[in-house]
Amino acid sequence: MGLDARNWDEDGYRNSILKEREIQTRTVFRAIFAPSQNPNPDAIVVASSDGTLASYSLSSCIIQLQKGFGNAMSQKSLLGLPVAEPNCFLQGHDGPAYDVKFYGDGEESLLLRSINVDPIPEMSDYITLTAYLFLNIPRIGTTFLLLCNFRGGASSVVVDDCGDDGRIRGWRWKDITQSEVPVPLQGHHVEPVLDLVNPQHKGPWGALSPVPENNAIAVNAQWGSVFAAAGDSCAYCWDLERSMIKMVFKGHSDYLHCIIARNSSNQIITGSEDGTARIWDCKSGKCIQVIDPKKDKMLEESFSCVSCLALDASESWLAYGRGRSLSIWNLPACEHVTRVSTHASFQDMVFDDNQILAVGAEPLLSRFDINGSILSQIQCASPSAFSVSLHPLGVTAVAGYGGVVDVISQFGSHLCSFRCR
């Protein structure tokens, strides 16, 4: 039987093919649990390589799975996974979004993200972070979602990091989640209330460098500070109340991959492409310790960057990934405790009490004890995972290549696995 090709939409067909390929190659760089009055995990916020920040209902994804849309473990390819529809989303940037974090647990939150737009005239200075973060700013009295060029509670912040623009913009999380704009029309539907940008450096004859990208951020909510790990090998401390840089941390010889705040000691810890981690005093801006595995014969290995950092709840234990090794340090004693080698590079990790959950360039969620022994490994749908987040009730979210998110119960079983729309 012949087909009538007179109304064939060639452009539409091409665009649909390109869109499908884009979905297949999408990467979720960060997935975190959104703040909620419900003590159970309710929503997951993801930052993706297409520059979007989207929120997904966990209960809806689980219902889809129960209706037979499939489990990751029974699919032969990522395309066989169910595609979840977001409850809300923002289009933050033309480039990827790398990180997302929440601080606080209320609805009055501010969403900050970095994107390439003209600055807001009313603000004297701007902050750029390559991450999202929910943060409480004392005099504003609300929660913020910070988005740093792609990688929010009574008080919370989301952080995301990308690569090129070095800008963060802020929105109230409540304005996003309670918007009446239909989801298909969302993206630029909420006006930002904050716009921040990294400084440029002056060169010969007054020439300005490109705005350095931010690869991660951390916060100290007590002081209203945000710390950015930037591509110019510096870390920046921003005062969100005044939208000004308070401190610049210089010492690394290459760009920064990760940063965490050790708020109990008023310190930050950074990890760099130069293969070192540094501990900084936030009052003086000086580096007080350099963790350099190249100088330790016990840790000698081929050169690798410090790709991820994690602190335990007491902020006494530091874990970091460097290439295919996981190292654990006792910070009060300034002593290396253990080092573990694996088959794949580490890309993210988080403490669960006195244990460590880690993911990397393999489809596994690995659990280590404080001595570096592997306690368990759980198969994940994504062949390479970039994010692991832990809910207070023990539920874990793992996200990575293919735009895939795995949600794993505290008992180690898969609650659901889905691809992001």
Side-chain angles (χ1 to χ4, degrees):
M1 181 175 62
L3 297 176
D4 187 354
R6 288 175 294 179
N7 295 322
W8 174 255
D9 184 0
E10 181 67 22
D11 291 337
Y13 174 74
R14 291 175 181 269
N15 290 335
S16 66
I17 295 297
L18 291 175
K19 185 64 177 178
E20 183 63 25
R21 290 179 179 176
E22 176 186 338
I23 292 175
Q24 294 178 29
T25 58
R26 179 181 300 169
T27 298
V28 173
F29 288 109
R30 181 66 63 189
I32 59 173
F33 295 97
S36 172
Q37 299 300 323
N38 185 350
N40 296 311
D42 186 35
I44 291 179
V45 177
V46 304
S48 304
S49 57
D50 61 353
T52 58
L53 176 72
S55 175
Y56 294 87
S57 168
L58 183 55
S59 58
S60 297
C61 294
I62 294 176
I63 291 174
Q64 273 191 328
L65 180 63
Q66 292 174 344
K67 286 183 177 180
F69 283 88
N71 186 298
M73 300 303 102
S74 64
Q75 302 298 325
K76 296 182 179 180
S77 70
L78 296 180
L79 293 179
L81 291 172
V83 178
E85 297 292 338
N87 295 332
C88 55
F89 81 98
L90 287 173
Q91 180 65 51
H93 187 66
D94 291 335
Y98 295 126
D99 191 15
V100 135
K101 295 184 179 73
F102 284 95
Y103 176 87
D105 54 3
E107 287 296 329
E108 292 293 334
S109 353
L110 175 69
L111 166 63
L112 305 179
R113 75 177 179 185
S114 61
I115 85 174
N116 286 322
V117 294
D118 294 333
I120 299 175
E122 300 88 88
M123 303 189 66
S124 57
D125 293 279
Y126 306 92
I127 301 174
T128 297
L129 304 179
T130 311
Y132 279 106
L133 179 64
F134 278 110
L135 175 68
N136 178 47
I137 299 180
R139 293 190 185 177
I140 298 179
T142 187
T143 305
F144 297 87
L145 172 62
L146 303 179
L147 168 59
C148 224
N149 199 23
F150 292 75
R151 263 249 231 207
S155 303
S156 54
V157 178
V158 175
V159 181
D160 167 270
D161 79 332
C162 179
D164 298 328
D165 65 8
R167 168 162 283 144
I168 290 185
R169 305 178 76 187
W171 295 258
R172 291 185 181 87
W173 181 240
K174 180 178 67 173
D175 293 345
I176 299 171
T177 57
Q178 298 181 5
S179 173
E180 296 181 357
V181 177
V183 173
L185 301 180
Q186 291 183 8
H188 304 284
H189 61 296
V190 180
E191 290 295 323
V193 297
L194 186 63
D195 195 348
L196 312 164
V197 139
N198 270 347
Q200 294 174 277
H201 303 286
K202 289 186 177 180
W205 302 288
L208 293 177
S209 70
V211 176
E213 77 279 6
N214 292 290
N215 297 308
I217 61 174
V219 295
N220 184 327
Q222 181 179 359
W223 299 102
S225 299
V226 173
F227 304 93
D232 58 359
S233 75
C234 296
Y236 295 95
C237 174
W238 290 92
D239 183 339
L240 287 192
E241 182 182 338
R242 297 182 297 164
S243 300
M244 296 179 63
I245 292 178
K246 293 195 294 187
M247 189 79 67
V248 180
F249 304 89
K250 296 182 178 180
H252 283 288
S253 61
D254 212 331
Y255 65 88
L256 306 187
H257 282 280
C258 46
I259 187 170
I260 52 175
R262 192 184 182 202
N263 294 333
S264 62
S265 302
N266 200 17
Q267 298 172 348
I268 60 169
I269 306 174
T270 54
S272 171
E273 181 72 11
D274 64 16
T276 68
R278 290 175 178 256
I279 303 175
W280 308 82
D281 176 59
C282 293
K283 291 183 178 179
S284 65
K286 295 182 179 179
C287 177
I288 59 177
Q289 184 178 356
V290 179
I291 300 175
D292 188 356
K294 298 190 297 294
K295 296 182 179 180
D296 192 331
K297 292 183 179 179
M298 292 178 59
L299 305 179
E300 189 174 353
E301 62 174 337
S302 59
F303 179 80
S304 296
C305 67
V306 176
S307 57
C308 50
L309 299 161
L311 277 174
D312 75 326
S314 70
E315 298 189 340
S316 298
W317 295 93
L318 170 70
Y320 71 89
R322 186 174 184 271
R324 293 181 293 176
S325 68
L326 163 66
S327 294
I328 302 172
W329 285 73
N330 183 287
L331 293 176
C334 299
E335 181 181 4
H336 170 259
V337 175
T338 189
R339 172 181 174 271
V340 181
S341 295
T342 62
H343 299 292
S345 298
F346 288 96
Q347 294 172 161
D348 195 26
M349 57 186 61
V350 64
F351 270 90
D352 181 10
D353 292 330
N354 60 345
Q355 299 175 355
I356 301 163
L357 299 175
V359 295
E362 59 183 351
L364 294 174
L365 169 63
S366 300
R367 182 181 291 270
F368 298 87
D369 65 16
I370 203 68
N371 296 313
S373 299
I374 295 180
L375 301 178
S376 66
Q377 289 186 316
I378 299 174
Q379 189 78 19
C380 297
S382 177
S384 181
F386 292 91
S387 167
V388 55
S389 299
L390 183 66
H391 189 272
L393 293 184
V395 177
T396 305
V398 177
Y401 180 77
V404 173
V405 177
D406 289 286
V407 184
I408 301 169
S409 75
Q410 60 269 46
F411 306 110
S413 59
H414 277 75
L415 294 175
C416 63
S417 298
F418 63 90
R419 285 193 296 129
C420 298
R421 172 64 68 185

